[in-house]
């Protein structure tokens, strides 16, 4: 005889709880599926028939729609014939348009957009190069803009040079296959816009009202003039991110409305950021001569500087944290530079910096004296600046000859800095070497407002160096509210469950 609990479970198995959810919640859940899959839910029941029409977001991946047909078409049809067919779709009348697999997928996208019966929040479209040639990619953007969409992400499927489906492409198709030729009123008509893997052309630039606030270019090629025009005409732009873009010359950012600027994995001859209201600047693995870096950002509150020397193609040309500090602070003064004090209002500093390099220490100590309003300092010590030999201003020696005293006395010889008002210090990749320990000791004994120091050790450490770090807990603290947290490296966190003492015990084995 079954008990009450088993009987209740058996009864509940026949209940469709999902279909009983409110329309808005059900549509939000189903909208997280790729759109072709979401539309297919309409056959499940009468209740689900129109749920997909109420999606708050759309997510298209053209290659995955009609996947067997498209893969067969890509594999067995010469790419030049596919591009020719796409071009015919652009110029032919509606009656004579081709109906290949890619055209059918494009028609599905248009049908889903047209069938929308409620407001859209966002849309992401990942499409094939043929949709650039046919002009359908631009057509979708126009259609969505007409539907009132404000947030869109457009991505061209893989770069044709790396895609086996495009190896036989003739050079004459090269530009058309990746060009997004956008009217400026469409480009600036969205509030949030992300473009990836395109050669971008925009025309004509007009002075109509623009609402574009957040713009991301990822692996986008464009002329420097077009970038300047975008900044000039988009008067509401607040957030700009450039990732792996090809602009060839200097990058000049001059926008009174801009508040956040991020530049990642790019190579250029110079960077000029002249934005009176900018609050956040992030420089991530950028190749640029330090003397050509200009930051005129008097209201800057957050500065992030990252450089991955081990994976950079041109290590000696990679812009490093110490060079940004030296150039911006005046330690190194390249001829003709005109840079304001970027430290004056800085609240958060996140940097990659090798704390065992003397030149880094000179730059960091100068910054600490200049950062009167700094509250949060985050340092990734897991970089080795000795991999590079890039000389700017100050010699890059890491020995005693660049100091008037032994290098191990560096932090002991620093003057007491009353301006250290930091609240938090976060150190990643800590190994417990003498320079690192002396720096933390200097902060503990001098930072009277410090509330928390968090130290994440590197995955590979020596027992005696870890113990030397533990000894820091016994030093007198300048702040009575200071707590110091020691954690093993992230790989060891998983192995020992985050228990620091257990990790330390394993180092003696």
């Amino acid at each position: 005889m079954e008990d009450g609990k088993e009987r209740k479970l058996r009864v509940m198995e026949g209940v469709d709880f999902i279909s009983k959810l409110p329309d808005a919640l059900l549509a939000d859940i189903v909208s997280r599926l790729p759109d072709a899959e979401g539309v297919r839910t309409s056959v499940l029941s009468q209740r689900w028939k129109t749920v997909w029409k109420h999606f708050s977001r759309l997510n298209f991946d053209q290659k995955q729609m009609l996947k067997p047909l498209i893969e067969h078409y890509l594999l067995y049809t010469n790419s030049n014939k596919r591009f020719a067919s796409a071009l015919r779709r652009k110029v032919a009348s509606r009656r004579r348009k081709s109906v290949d697999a890619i055209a059918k997928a494009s028609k599905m996208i248009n049908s889903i957009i047209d069938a929308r019966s409620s407001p859209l929040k966002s849309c992401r479209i990942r499409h094939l190069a043929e949709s650039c040639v046919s002009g359908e990619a631009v057509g979708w953007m126009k259609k969505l803009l007409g539907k009132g969409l404000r947030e869109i992400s457009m991505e061209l499927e893989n770069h044709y040079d790396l895609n086996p489906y495009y190896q036989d492409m003739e050079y004459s198709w090269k530009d058309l296959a990746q060009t997004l030729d956008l009217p400026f009123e469409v480009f600036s008509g969205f509030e949030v816009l992300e473009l990836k893997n395109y050669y971008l052309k925009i025309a004509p630039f007009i002075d109509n009202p623009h609402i574009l606030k957040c713009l991301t270019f990822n692996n986008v090629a464009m002329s420097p003039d077009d970038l300047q025009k975008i900044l000039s005409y988009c008067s509401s732009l607040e957030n700009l991110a450039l990732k792996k873009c090809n602009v060839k010359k200097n990058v000049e950012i001059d926008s009174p409305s801009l508040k956040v600027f991020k530049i990642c994995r790019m190579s250029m001859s110079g960077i000029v950021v002249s934005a009176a209201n900018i609050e956040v600047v992030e420089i991530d693995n950028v190749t640029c001569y330090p003397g050509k870096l200009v930051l005129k950002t008097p209201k800057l509150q957050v500065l992030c500087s990252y450089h991955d020397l081990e994976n950079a193609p041109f290590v000696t040309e990679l812009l490093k944290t110490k060079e940004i500090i030296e150039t911006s602070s005046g330690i190194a003064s390249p001829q003709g530079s005109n840079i304001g004090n970027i430290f004056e209002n800085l609240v958060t500093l996140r940097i990659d910096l090798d704390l065992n390099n003397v030149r880094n220490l000179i730059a960091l100590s100068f910054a600490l004296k200049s950062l009167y309003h700094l509250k949060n300092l985050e340092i990734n010590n897991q970089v080795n600046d000795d991999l590079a030999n890039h000389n700017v201003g100050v010699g890059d020696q890491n020995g005693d000859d660049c100091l008037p005293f032994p290098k191990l006395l560096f932090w002991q010889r620093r003057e007491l800095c009353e301006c250290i008002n930091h609240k938090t210090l976060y150190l990643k990749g800590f190994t417990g070497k003498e320079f690192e320990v002396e720096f933390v000791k200097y902060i503990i004994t001098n930072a009277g407002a410090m509330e928390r120091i968090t130290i994440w050790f590197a995955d590979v450490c020596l027992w005696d160096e870890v113990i030397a770090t533990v000894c820091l807990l016994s030093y007198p603290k300048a702040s009575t509210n200071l707590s110091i947290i020691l954690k093993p490296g992230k790989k060891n966190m998983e192995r020992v469950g985050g228990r620091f003492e257990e990790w330390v015990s394993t180092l003696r084995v």
Side-chain angles (χ1 to χ4, degrees), residues 454-481:
T454 304
I455 298 177
W456 285 85
F457 282 86
D459 290 318
V460 179
C461 292
L462 298 177
W463 179 83
D464 56 342
E465 292 177 336
V466 173
I467 294 302
T469 306
V470 174
C471 291
L472 290 170
L473 301 176
S474 62
Y475 280 95
K477 302 172 183 177
S479 171
T480 56
N481 298 319

Side-chain angles (χ1 to χ4, degrees), residues 419-437:
C419 62
I420 297 183
N421 297 314
H422 312 167
K423 297 289 186 181
T424 63
L425 171 63
Y426 182 97
L427 294 174
K428 178 185 174 184
F430 202 83
T431 60
K433 290 184 172 57
E434 291 174 297
F435 268 118
E436 301 167 31
V437 172

Side-chain angles (χ1 to χ4, degrees), residues 24-93:
L25 181 57
L26 188 60
D28 185 69
I29 293 172
V30 180
S31 70
R32 299 175 191 277
L33 294 169
D35 281 287
E37 300 296 328
V39 172
R40 290 191 182 105
T41 62
S42 63
V43 303
L44 295 177
S45 69
Q46 188 68 25
R47 169 73 173 78
W48 287 69
K49 190 172 182 179
T50 60
V51 167
W52 65 274
K53 294 184 179 181
H54 298 277
F55 288 174
S56 60
R57 59 182 66 84
L58 295 177
N59 183 9
F60 298 106
D61 189 333
Q62 190 178 29
K63 188 178 177 182
Q64 299 303 314
M65 303 172 74
L66 306 175
K67 187 175 179 179
L69 293 177
I70 287 183
E71 286 190 344
H72 185 275
Y73 180 61
L74 292 174
L75 188 61
Y76 294 105
T77 306
N78 180 275
S79 63
N80 301 297
K81 291 183 178 180
R82 299 200 306 267
F83 287 134
S85 176
L87 188 59
R88 284 194 294 272
R89 291 204 301 274
K90 185 175 184 178
V91 300
S93 64

